[in-house]
Every structure is written in structure tokens, then in C-alpha cells.
Amino acid sequence: MTESTSILIVEDDVPTRTFLADNLTADGYELLVAATLRDALRTLEYHHVDLAVVDLGLPDGSGLELLRKVREAGHSGARLDPRLPLIVLSGRAGETDRVRGFEHGCDDFLPKPFSYTELRWRVAALLRRTRERPSLGRLRVGELELDPAAREVRLRGARVMLSQKEFALLRQLAAEPTRVFTKAELLRDVWGFRAQG
């Protein structure tokens, strides 16, 4: 763990959220907290987060919706990182709930009541495995500079205005500037089209 490792806790239960925030902060993590699905999505759009711990039962929706939106963000042009490590921490821990969590993209699932020590080690293990996760920092290709977090493009220092799809396409191409993409890859990754055979 580094000093700049940040964790988002998405939990509507105040005592649980406070317990997690206090303990993870004491263990050296930077903490962001959200009590609703809406606040969690806004936090993920505007802050760098290394890992999120998500409850399934939120007052304005399901944590499964958050998992889905994060995982599908790669082709939507959204500011969410689809590779973000996600741990579900939920009182809904039947087999169906756990399977749905993994189907929607969680990396780990821990039922409540939980052991903080076990959660801490699961967080550390997941962060260790994802340390090599490419950063969504600025991309530079020649005189073109792309900032995915701010959704900003500059060419020779001058700002370029792009639509959401144009930005998503440029980000896809700039991430691997020497690679030739097929039409099917771009339709799938940028527009979200799924070919039928």
C-alpha cells in the first residue's frame, strides 16, 4: 500500500460506514464515502479511486447497478474506470446474491457480519493484484494531449471540443497509438455494439 491509495466506501448504514472509514484510515488508506448510488457515481467520476467497497442495499438503488455502470463504462465515454477493483460487502449474502454480484462485475464478495481483519487482507490482496492496472492519467500522442478524468483534449495547447462519442473514440485510439483497430473492435468498445456471429 502507498500513502496515496484511496478507497471509496459505498454504505448507507452510518455505524458501518463510520467503522470502516475509521479503521481503513487508521491503516493508512485515504477514504472517500458515499451513502447513495448517486453520490457514489459522482465520487467515482470526479475523484481518483483505487478500490471501492460497495453495499448492495442502497436507499436510491442497488449496488449491483453501480457495479454494472462501472464495468460498462469502457465504451460509454463516461469518466468511470471499468477496471476499478470492486468488493461487495453486504447483508444479502445468499448464493443468488453472491452470484449476481460476480455477474455484475465484483472482484470479491464478503457477507455481513464481517471480520474487519479479513476485509483488510482482502483489500490488500486485491490492491496487490491490480497494482499494474493502467492509470487513467493523461495520454500524450505527439502534440495531442488527452485527460480522461477531466474529459479534456488539447492540441498544441489549444482546447478541442468533442462530443462524448468523439472523445471515447479518440481515447480508444490514443491509448494504443501504434495499433490498428478493426471496425468490429471500435463498434464494440466505443459504441457498445455486439456482433451476432
Side-chain angles (χ1 to χ4, degrees):
M1 178 191 70
T2 65
E3 288 180 26
S4 62
T5 302
S6 63
I7 296 176
L8 171 64
I9 303 296
V10 185
E11 172 65 63
D12 64 324
D13 181 63
V14 177
T16 303
R17 190 172 65 234
T18 303
F19 172 80
L20 289 170
D22 289 348
N23 283 281
L24 288 167
T25 300
D27 283 330
Y29 296 102
E30 290 181 14
L31 260 289
L32 297 163
V33 295
T36 65
L37 176 62
R38 182 178 180 206
D39 288 345
L41 288 168
R42 185 174 295 137
T43 300
L44 288 172
E45 286 182 352
Y46 293 102
H47 295 88
H48 172 75
V49 175
D50 293 296
L51 180 141
V53 178
V54 181
D55 185 15
L56 293 183
L58 299 170
D60 61 342
S62 169
L64 294 174
E65 180 70 8
L66 175 66
L67 300 177
R68 185 187 64 75
K69 286 187 181 216
V70 168
R71 292 301 181 235
E72 291 179 355
H75 55 65
S76 69
R79 292 186 247 199
L80 304 175
D81 181 358
R83 298 156 300 184
L84 177 70
L86 298 164
I87 297 177
V88 170
L89 182 65
S90 179
R92 293 193 241 160
E95 181 182 359
T96 302
D97 298 302
R98 293 191 312 271
V99 167
R100 282 191 183 139
F102 286 108
E103 285 176 344
H104 282 75
C106 77
D107 296 292
D108 201 352
F109 195 112
L110 191 60
K112 293 178 185 174
F114 63 97
S115 155
Y116 174 74
T117 304
E118 181 181 358
L119 174 66
R120 187 186 71 208
W121 284 108
R122 286 176 185 251
V123 164
L126 190 52
L127 285 170
R128 188 173 56 248
R129 286 195 308 271
T130 59
R131 242 344 135 201
E132 299 303 313
R133 181 170 60 109
S135 167
L136 283 185
R138 291 181 181 263
L139 298 171
R140 184 181 287 265
V141 180
E143 296 180 330
L144 179 74
E145 195 173 337
L146 219 111
D147 183 354
R151 227 178 73 66
E152 186 175 282
V153 176
R154 293 191 178 274
L155 181 61
R156 292 182 211 98
R159 189 160 186 214
V160 178
M161 302 303 292
L162 298 176
S163 71
Q164 191 171 4
K165 284 295 180 204
E166 289 169 337
F167 181 84
L169 177 61
L170 183 60
R171 182 174 72 179
Q172 178 84 4
L173 297 172
E176 298 181 72
T178 60
R179 179 173 168 218
V180 176
F181 290 88
T182 67
K183 180 180 176 182
E185 286 175 317
L186 293 175
L187 286 172
R188 180 193 67 220
D189 295 342
V190 177
W191 279 269
F193 293 156
R194 300 287 184 253
Q196 297 293 324

